[in-house]
Amino acid sequence: PGPPPPMPVPHANLARALGTDFARSYFISDAILAGFNQYASVATSPTSASMGHGWHAWMTPRQVNYTDRVVGLTSQGTLQELTYGLDYRVSPDLVVGFAFNPESTKVTYDGLNASIYQSGIGGGPYLGWLISPTTLFDAWLGYVRLDRAFDVFGHGANMPVDRAFLSTSITQIIDTPWMRVLPRFTLFHAHDEVSGVTSSQGFPIPGQGYSWGHVEGSVEVNRDFVLDQRLLLQPFVQATLRYDTQQLVDTVTTIDGTDVGLTRWHGQLRGGVRAQLGSQAELWLSGGYLSFFTPGIDAWEAKAHFRMRFDEASSAFAAYMPVKAPPLPVVPFGWTGCSVGVNAGYGSAKARFDSAPNDVIVDFAQIAGAVPQLAAQQATSAASQRAGGITAGAGVSCNVQYDKTVIGLETDINYTDLRSSELRGPFPLAAGVSNTWENSFRSNYLGTVRGRLGLLVNPSNMLYATAGLAYADYAFSTAIDFPGSTGFRFAGSDSRVKPGWTAGLGWETVVSGPWTAKFEYLHVDLGDRTAPAPQNVGALSPFAWTHSAKLTEEIVRVGLSYKFAGPPNSGRGWFSQ
């Protein structure tokens, strides 16, 4: 038979299933708002100091978990992204910067051997303009390169996607005696161009271009609680109403053939707390429900935002300090002592799968003259799978300072949402015979016990190397199937806590008083794990394969720590010279 006819793929439907319509446009608005004197009482009060010029770096991890029952099937989706930004305050009224945004999405369908994936990275320039002391305009122009893929019953394809987008917002800051009110209006527009590809089964899939966008209005209310000159907390609640001006799709068809119209209205509700940590850093934590007025879809969001300033004299916290207040005495920070802290970031895992037949299968292949087919089957077992996700946790560290050297010991434990499942094949082995491989792995937490060696480049900044023990829950499964041969499969799995090793580099800096912040990279190697996969079917019972999988992880994260009182710093030695 000839090749199958072309199969048009509704790329916009795939994009909707992947959660592309979960808006990200408020990332830049929030980041810029953090960089300005965002509170009207601060911006207009003659007793408060201005921020002045300066560099800011920030990071926003975000995860959305959603369930979609619209088409009559239940799908589970996870959207994970980590937005980085660096900006400079050119003048008291203007900020310019650049942000980039790695993202990863996976959707699986309950009861079906089907999944959809999307991953990529994008970014672009942004600006914030304080039109008046209480009115902020911001804009973000960007480009994203995505790889969209699907796998349905062993038939799959990868589709490159080029996306361009523009997001603009106006935020008003209204102070009242009881609370602060921030209404915001946002306009977002994007265009996706999908390239044509040929699937793994050889049939062509035409490309497709489409635009989508929305307008949204939101209102936030918050209130400040100044605990002391170094800590300000601000709980907040934000309600958002969004209208899709150009939807990805207007209708979807259910499994019983019914066309269902999709609403253009979406409601979102978020709440959280912001913390101003001394003179250099801000930390926001928030969560929310994103799918009001969208029947059949439940979406939940968790998000953090960490922002840091590079210059002490013009710090963001200066806006909270009276101009006439005497400056605080500068005391060299002593690194000796113990700290407790929290961290958040992004983890990427890679699992390398391999399988090998036992001697009985090898002997049978030699007798049957099927050694080349067996070798081909084993070769198709070798594959790598990747998964990414947000990581967050807490830890304890203790350090001893010797002049400009710091030696320490640290332990932490972190949640990691790392999981992947993939069906590969069918791979032809002989006339009328083929096989498929189904691989999956997961790891839900990671712990480390590490030594640390640091070098102080000045009293407040330390570069360090770290290495030690790592441990994680690590589960994997692999199965060989032969389409057309019911019940003839070799399946094996293993799940347990796996020890390994880790090593990495980091930078830790004094934020203010006992608070420090750090940026850290860790490589984690959990080694190989094997699992037997016998046939267990009558006379075929002696036949077995051994499946193995090696897991490594790459972790990038930021942390915030509180140091308990240690020995006083004498101020003598290398730093005072």
Side-chain angles (χ1 to χ4, degrees):
M7 180 186 293
V9 175
H11 296 290
N13 248 321
L14 287 176
R16 188 199 68 82
L18 286 162
T20 303
D21 53 350
F22 292 136
R24 305 156 168 84
S25 52
Y26 68 98
F27 283 1
I28 294 300
S29 298
D30 282 348
I32 294 174
L33 196 63
F36 278 109
N37 296 336
Q38 58 264 55
Y39 314 120
S41 61
V42 170
T44 59
S45 172
T47 62
S48 299
S50 172
M51 280 178 58
H53 299 188
W55 287 95
H56 298 78
W58 55 271
M59 183 183 77
T60 300
R62 180 197 190 212
Q63 176 159 328
V64 177
N65 293 332
Y66 59 96
T67 303
D68 189 341
R69 307 178 186 87
V70 175
V71 298
L73 297 171
T74 299
S75 63
Q76 310 287 339
T78 302
L79 163 66
Q80 299 165 330
E81 52 195 340
L82 186 61
T83 308
Y84 297 90
L86 178 67
D87 57 52
Y88 182 74
R89 187 160 184 176
V90 179
S91 72
D93 298 329
L94 182 64
V95 163
V96 295
F98 187 91
F100 67 100
N101 173 238
E103 62 176 272
S104 175
T105 307
K106 178 182 179 181
V107 178
T108 58
Y109 292 86
D110 293 356
L112 288 179
N113 187 11
S115 55
I116 307 173
Y117 306 87
Q118 180 170 280
S119 62
I121 186 170
Y126 63 87
L127 67 86
W129 177 26
L130 205 60
I131 300 174
S132 76
T134 59
T135 305
L136 173 66
F137 169 81
D138 64 78
W140 185 21
L141 176 66
Y143 164 80
V144 187
R145 177 68 173 184
L146 295 166
D147 182 50
R148 185 174 297 159
F150 69 87
D151 194 326
V152 181
F153 305 116
H155 299 268
N158 291 75
M159 293 155 283
V161 180
D162 293 288
R163 173 179 300 161
F165 67 88
L166 173 66
S167 174
T168 61
S169 297
I170 291 182
T171 305
Q172 184 69 28
I173 307 165
I174 304 171
D175 245 17
T176 73
W178 303 103
M179 68 182 63
R180 187 170 298 106
V181 183
L182 285 81
R184 176 184 296 164
F185 178 79
T186 299
L187 175 64
F188 179 85
H189 181 80
H191 180 79
D192 287 12
E193 196 64 44
V194 187
S195 302
V197 298
T198 300
S199 76
S200 59
Q201 301 303 307
F203 58 84
I205 302 174
Q208 181 181 356
Y210 52 87
S211 297
W212 53 286
H214 62 262
V215 294
E216 71 177 31
S218 67
V219 177
E220 176 187 316
V221 294
N222 62 57
R223 184 177 175 86
D224 297 342
F225 294 91
V226 181
L227 303 185
D228 58 39
Q229 288 188 334
R230 297 183 182 275
L231 180 61
L232 178 145
L233 296 180
Q234 183 190 82
F236 67 93
V237 176
Q238 182 189 66
T240 301
L241 184 62
R242 195 184 85 203
Y243 179 77
D244 291 329
T245 54
Q246 292 176 280
Q247 293 201 122
L248 293 167
V249 289
D250 293 315
T251 62
V252 292
T253 303
T254 65
I255 56 176
D256 60 3
T258 304
D259 286 336
V260 177
L262 299 179
T263 178
R264 287 178 176 266
W265 291 99
H266 310 274
Q268 302 174 354
L269 182 65
R270 296 179 177 87
V273 63
R274 303 180 178 103
Q276 191 82 31
L277 306 170
S279 60
Q280 296 289 106
E282 295 177 351
L283 175 66
W284 301 8
L285 300 174
S286 68
Y289 185 73
L290 306 186
S291 51
F292 289 106
F293 319 126
T294 52
I297 297 179
D298 290 302
W300 297 89
E301 175 192 69
K303 185 171 78 81
H305 176 87
F306 180 77
R307 185 178 186 90
M308 189 166 182
R309 242 185 124 70
F310 292 128
D311 51 331
E312 179 81 25
S314 57
S315 65
F317 194 66
Y320 299 99
M321 301 290 290
V323 173
K324 297 180 180 180
L328 297 175
V330 177
V331 178
F333 184 84
W335 292 86
T336 297
C338 293
S339 303
V340 295
V342 295
N343 66 77
Y346 185 83
S348 174
K350 177 183 177 182
R352 172 71 183 181
F353 292 91
D354 290 286
S355 297
N358 69 350
D359 292 340
V360 178
I361 295 179
V362 174
D363 292 343
F364 176 81
Q366 291 174 340
I367 295 172
V371 172
Q373 289 84 353
L374 181 63
Q377 182 178 359
Q378 185 174 356
T380 60
S381 73
S384 295
Q385 285 176 225
R386 293 185 178 273
I390 291 172
T391 175
V396 179
S397 65
C398 292
N399 300 289
V400 177
Q401 177 180 347
Y402 297 96
D403 200 13
K404 60 181 180 179
T405 302
V406 176
I407 300 174
L409 182 66
E410 182 172 5
T411 181
D412 56 44
I413 188 164
N414 291 262
Y415 162 78
T416 58
D417 185 22
L418 299 171
R419 61 188 67 227
S420 175
S421 180
E422 182 180 59
L423 177 66
R424 299 185 301 109
F427 301 102
L429 299 177
V433 180
S434 60
N435 75 306
T436 63
W437 293 90
E438 185 177 353
N439 299 330
S440 65
F441 74 91
R442 65 166 176 81
S443 182
N444 290 329
Y445 71 83
L446 169 70
T448 70
V449 180
R450 296 173 284 114
R452 194 164 71 157
L453 177 63
L455 174 66
L456 298 175
V457 294
N458 61 40
S460 300
N461 289 275
M462 174 174 65
L463 301 176
Y464 63 87
T466 181
L469 170 71
Y471 59 93
D473 73 319
Y474 173 30
F476 85 96
S477 64
T478 301
I480 316 171
D481 282 300
F482 297 85
S485 302
T486 304
F488 190 62
R489 75 187 326 236
F490 297 88
S493 62
D494 190 30
S495 176
R496 68 184 75 176
V497 176
K498 183 74 170 66
W501 61 269
T502 180
L505 300 170
W507 164 52
E508 187 166 3
T509 183
V510 178
V511 174
S512 185
W515 295 95
T516 64
K518 68 178 179 181
F519 177 84
E520 187 173 67
Y521 161 78
L522 293 177
H523 171 79
V524 180
D525 190 324
L526 295 173
D528 289 300
R529 171 153 291 172
T530 60
Q535 179 51 231
N536 291 331
V537 180
L540 300 175
S541 296
F543 293 88
W545 286 70
T546 298
H547 300 317
S548 64
K550 177 182 176 65
L551 183 67
T552 57
E553 298 181 21
E554 314 294 331
I555 307 292
V556 178
R557 62 191 184 183
V558 296
L560 183 70
S561 298
Y562 179 87
K563 178 180 172 293
F564 298 103
N569 193 313
S570 66
R572 298 191 301 269
W574 181 69
F575 288 121
S576 61
Q577 295 174 3

